[in-house]
Amino acid sequence: MVINTGQRTDIPAFYSKWFYNRIKDGFVLVRSPYSENAVYRYILDPSIVDLLLFCTKNPRPMFEDFDLLKPYRTYWFVTITGYDKDIEMNVPDKKEVIESFIELSKKVGKERIAWRYDPILIDSKHTLSFHKEKFEEYSSLLSGFTDTVIFSFVDLYKKVKDNMPSLSEVRIEDKIDFVKFAVKVAKACGFSLKSCAEKEDYSALGVDASGCMSSSVLKKAIGGNINIPRFSKSRDNCNCYLSKDIGAYNTCLHFCSYCYANSDRRKVLEEVRNHDDSSPLLIGNIKKGDIIKYVDEGSWISDQLELF
């Protein structure tokens, strides 16, 4: 089984103490975002959890009790963009995040950490030249500490449009210009350049379009073969496996303008007030009418050799 901590919120940045309490207790409860009284119980035993996936803009809070992760296989996606506080309100200074990235890479190995430079949005301040400059600068600093960099261009979901009404789709000519530049920079720095859920196929330009959390990535992170159950795509042009997410929507305090996981700040602050580090649920606790479903899919690791 694969457990994800970061598709709905940023657990490493804001809820690391809660997460480590879940590791200590050996299980976690997750309230379904689609059914108020449906609660899933996942066992957090290394013999069952084949991989812990982390997606974060600030891994540093996880370092305090990092030894608790030693029995587990982990893979990390760390987002580092060039945006300032006007776009990413509560993300730490990028110099600090880069330092944390490098420290994390030394802990887990560069093959188990990927850098995300996304989403790419273009406006009067964040021009194509701006993104090229930042991408090249960060690539130089992160060279040798990862073998993968992932990019995507902003998707104008309703929440994004509400937060940034003047924002427009990135022009195809600007996309191609950036991709060609990024391919050269990534190659020089020893990175594989991957696209994330892009409707355009950039593979002819040297981009790996197979997916950032594809079965091949999971196998690489685990260091062996796994039998992944069949799954449906979460959205068009996405080849990523939908792992068991233990987060909750409307709980991320980064308050990024392009965020799709928060509906509004007032809702987030309301939810966060109900967070308890000792609760098995990220937000609130078990209440009357809840139905707990015990999920035990077992390990997917296979001893069989894969034929190519």
Side-chain angles (χ1 to χ4, degrees), residues 262-274:
N262 290 345
S263 56
D264 62 72
R265 293 180 190 176
R266 186 166 52 186
K267 176 67 173 176
V268 173
L269 295 175
E270 179 184 321
E271 290 289 277
V272 170
R273 279 195 291 268
N274 293 318

PDB file of all heavy atoms in Angstrom, residues 262-274:
ATOM      1  N   ASN A 262      -7.750  24.627  -1.403  1.00  0.00           N
ATOM      2  CA  ASN A 262      -8.478  25.473  -0.456  1.00  0.00           C
ATOM      3  C   ASN A 262      -9.610  26.195  -1.177  1.00  0.00           C
ATOM      4  O   ASN A 262      -9.423  26.686  -2.305  1.00  0.00           O
ATOM      5  CB  ASN A 262      -7.559  26.535   0.155  1.00  0.00           C
ATOM      6  CG  ASN A 262      -6.539  25.951   1.108  1.00  0.00           C
ATOM      7  OD1 ASN A 262      -6.667  24.806   1.551  1.00  0.00           O
ATOM      8  ND2 ASN A 262      -5.522  26.735   1.434  1.00  0.00           N
ATOM      9  N   SER A 263     -10.770  26.293  -0.530  1.00  0.00           N
ATOM     10  CA  SER A 263     -11.873  27.042  -1.128  1.00  0.00           C
ATOM     11  C   SER A 263     -11.771  28.526  -0.771  1.00  0.00           C
ATOM     12  O   SER A 263     -11.946  29.390  -1.623  1.00  0.00           O
ATOM     13  CB  SER A 263     -13.222  26.476  -0.676  1.00  0.00           C
ATOM     14  OG  SER A 263     -13.318  26.467   0.737  1.00  0.00           O
ATOM     15  N   ASP A 264     -11.485  28.830   0.505  1.00  0.00           N
ATOM     16  CA  ASP A 264     -11.235  30.210   0.909  1.00  0.00           C
ATOM     17  C   ASP A 264     -10.522  30.213   2.259  1.00  0.00           C
ATOM     18  O   ASP A 264     -10.571  29.240   3.008  1.00  0.00           O
ATOM     19  CB  ASP A 264     -12.519  31.033   0.972  1.00  0.00           C
ATOM     20  CG  ASP A 264     -13.505  30.502   2.005  1.00  0.00           C
ATOM     21  OD1 ASP A 264     -13.243  30.652   3.215  1.00  0.00           O
ATOM     22  OD2 ASP A 264     -14.529  29.914   1.595  1.00  0.00           O
ATOM     23  N   ARG A 265      -9.866  31.319   2.580  1.00  0.00           N
ATOM     24  CA  ARG A 265      -9.047  31.404   3.797  1.00  0.00           C
ATOM     25  C   ARG A 265      -9.871  31.280   5.060  1.00  0.00           C
ATOM     26  O   ARG A 265      -9.430  30.685   6.051  1.00  0.00           O
ATOM     27  CB  ARG A 265      -8.263  32.720   3.805  1.00  0.00           C
ATOM     28  CG  ARG A 265      -7.214  32.795   2.703  1.00  0.00           C
ATOM     29  CD  ARG A 265      -6.471  34.115   2.748  1.00  0.00           C
ATOM     30  NE  ARG A 265      -5.654  34.269   1.556  1.00  0.00           N
ATOM     31  CZ  ARG A 265      -4.951  35.365   1.268  1.00  0.00           C
ATOM     32  NH1 ARG A 265      -4.979  36.383   2.109  1.00  0.00           N
ATOM     33  NH2 ARG A 265      -4.241  35.427   0.162  1.00  0.00           N
ATOM     34  N   ARG A 266     -11.057  31.834   5.063  1.00  0.00           N
ATOM     35  CA  ARG A 266     -11.905  31.760   6.250  1.00  0.00           C
ATOM     36  C   ARG A 266     -12.223  30.315   6.596  1.00  0.00           C
ATOM     37  O   ARG A 266     -12.196  29.921   7.770  1.00  0.00           O
ATOM     38  CB  ARG A 266     -13.185  32.560   6.012  1.00  0.00           C
ATOM     39  CG  ARG A 266     -14.086  32.663   7.237  1.00  0.00           C
ATOM     40  CD  ARG A 266     -15.140  33.737   7.041  1.00  0.00           C
ATOM     41  NE  ARG A 266     -15.859  33.559   5.787  1.00  0.00           N
ATOM     42  CZ  ARG A 266     -16.758  34.427   5.332  1.00  0.00           C
ATOM     43  NH1 ARG A 266     -17.006  35.531   6.015  1.00  0.00           N
ATOM     44  NH2 ARG A 266     -17.382  34.204   4.201  1.00  0.00           N
ATOM     45  N   LYS A 267     -12.497  29.519   5.568  1.00  0.00           N
ATOM     46  CA  LYS A 267     -12.780  28.105   5.778  1.00  0.00           C
ATOM     47  C   LYS A 267     -11.554  27.391   6.323  1.00  0.00           C
ATOM     48  O   LYS A 267     -11.654  26.545   7.221  1.00  0.00           O
ATOM     49  CB  LYS A 267     -13.223  27.470   4.459  1.00  0.00           C
ATOM     50  CG  LYS A 267     -13.449  25.965   4.515  1.00  0.00           C
ATOM     51  CD  LYS A 267     -14.615  25.591   5.383  1.00  0.00           C
ATOM     52  CE  LYS A 267     -14.913  24.109   5.270  1.00  0.00           C
ATOM     53  NZ  LYS A 267     -16.003  23.690   6.205  1.00  0.00           N
ATOM     54  N   VAL A 268     -10.378  27.718   5.800  1.00  0.00           N
ATOM     55  CA  VAL A 268      -9.137  27.095   6.262  1.00  0.00           C
ATOM     56  C   VAL A 268      -8.907  27.396   7.741  1.00  0.00           C
ATOM     57  O   VAL A 268      -8.626  26.498   8.541  1.00  0.00           O
ATOM     58  CB  VAL A 268      -7.931  27.581   5.434  1.00  0.00           C
ATOM     59  CG1 VAL A 268      -6.623  27.064   6.028  1.00  0.00           C
ATOM     60  CG2 VAL A 268      -8.060  27.127   3.980  1.00  0.00           C
ATOM     61  N   LEU A 269      -9.025  28.664   8.117  1.00  0.00           N
ATOM     62  CA  LEU A 269      -8.793  29.047   9.514  1.00  0.00           C
ATOM     63  C   LEU A 269      -9.800  28.384  10.440  1.00  0.00           C
ATOM     64  O   LEU A 269      -9.476  28.007  11.571  1.00  0.00           O
ATOM     65  CB  LEU A 269      -8.852  30.569   9.648  1.00  0.00           C
ATOM     66  CG  LEU A 269      -7.744  31.333   8.899  1.00  0.00           C
ATOM     67  CD1 LEU A 269      -7.984  32.833   8.997  1.00  0.00           C
ATOM     68  CD2 LEU A 269      -6.370  30.975   9.427  1.00  0.00           C
ATOM     69  N   GLU A 270     -11.025  28.218   9.959  1.00  0.00           N
ATOM     70  CA  GLU A 270     -12.052  27.535  10.741  1.00  0.00           C
ATOM     71  C   GLU A 270     -11.695  26.070  10.955  1.00  0.00           C
ATOM     72  O   GLU A 270     -11.822  25.533  12.065  1.00  0.00           O
ATOM     73  CB  GLU A 270     -13.391  27.649  10.011  1.00  0.00           C
ATOM     74  CG  GLU A 270     -14.551  26.961  10.698  1.00  0.00           C
ATOM     75  CD  GLU A 270     -15.821  27.040   9.865  1.00  0.00           C
ATOM     76  OE1 GLU A 270     -16.059  28.097   9.249  1.00  0.00           O
ATOM     77  OE2 GLU A 270     -16.556  26.044   9.816  1.00  0.00           O
ATOM     78  N   GLU A 271     -11.221  25.411   9.894  1.00  0.00           N
ATOM     79  CA  GLU A 271     -10.852  24.005   9.991  1.00  0.00           C
ATOM     80  C   GLU A 271      -9.636  23.814  10.898  1.00  0.00           C
ATOM     81  O   GLU A 271      -9.602  22.890  11.730  1.00  0.00           O
ATOM     82  CB  GLU A 271     -10.542  23.449   8.594  1.00  0.00           C
ATOM     83  CG  GLU A 271     -11.734  23.307   7.673  1.00  0.00           C
ATOM     84  CD  GLU A 271     -12.645  22.184   8.102  1.00  0.00           C
ATOM     85  OE1 GLU A 271     -12.368  21.028   7.767  1.00  0.00           O
ATOM     86  OE2 GLU A 271     -13.645  22.474   8.803  1.00  0.00           O
ATOM     87  N   VAL A 272      -8.646  24.670  10.744  1.00  0.00           N
ATOM     88  CA  VAL A 272      -7.407  24.526  11.510  1.00  0.00           C
ATOM     89  C   VAL A 272      -7.658  24.670  13.007  1.00  0.00           C
ATOM     90  O   VAL A 272      -6.965  24.043  13.824  1.00  0.00           O
ATOM     91  CB  VAL A 272      -6.361  25.545  11.015  1.00  0.00           C
ATOM     92  CG1 VAL A 272      -5.146  25.585  11.941  1.00  0.00           C
ATOM     93  CG2 VAL A 272      -5.913  25.191   9.596  1.00  0.00           C
ATOM     94  N   ARG A 273      -8.645  25.448  13.385  1.00  0.00           N
ATOM     95  CA  ARG A 273      -8.981  25.580  14.815  1.00  0.00           C
ATOM     96  C   ARG A 273      -9.435  24.246  15.409  1.00  0.00           C
ATOM     97  O   ARG A 273      -9.358  24.052  16.627  1.00  0.00           O
ATOM     98  CB  ARG A 273     -10.072  26.637  15.000  1.00  0.00           C
ATOM     99  CG  ARG A 273      -9.558  28.063  14.997  1.00  0.00           C
ATOM    100  CD  ARG A 273     -10.599  29.032  15.547  1.00  0.00           C
ATOM    101  NE  ARG A 273     -11.733  29.156  14.643  1.00  0.00           N
ATOM    102  CZ  ARG A 273     -11.812  30.080  13.683  1.00  0.00           C
ATOM    103  NH1 ARG A 273     -10.822  30.944  13.511  1.00  0.00           N
ATOM    104  NH2 ARG A 273     -12.879  30.138  12.923  1.00  0.00           N
ATOM    105  N   ASN A 274      -9.872  23.336  14.559  1.00  0.00           N
ATOM    106  CA  ASN A 274     -10.330  22.020  15.030  1.00  0.00           C
ATOM    107  C   ASN A 274      -9.246  20.949  14.927  1.00  0.00           C
ATOM    108  O   ASN A 274      -9.528  19.763  15.103  1.00  0.00           O
ATOM    109  CB  ASN A 274     -11.556  21.579  14.219  1.00  0.00           C
ATOM    110  CG  ASN A 274     -12.768  22.444  14.481  1.00  0.00           C
ATOM    111  OD1 ASN A 274     -13.032  22.804  15.622  1.00  0.00           O
ATOM    112  ND2 ASN A 274     -13.489  22.804  13.427  1.00  0.00           N
TER     113      ASN A 274
END
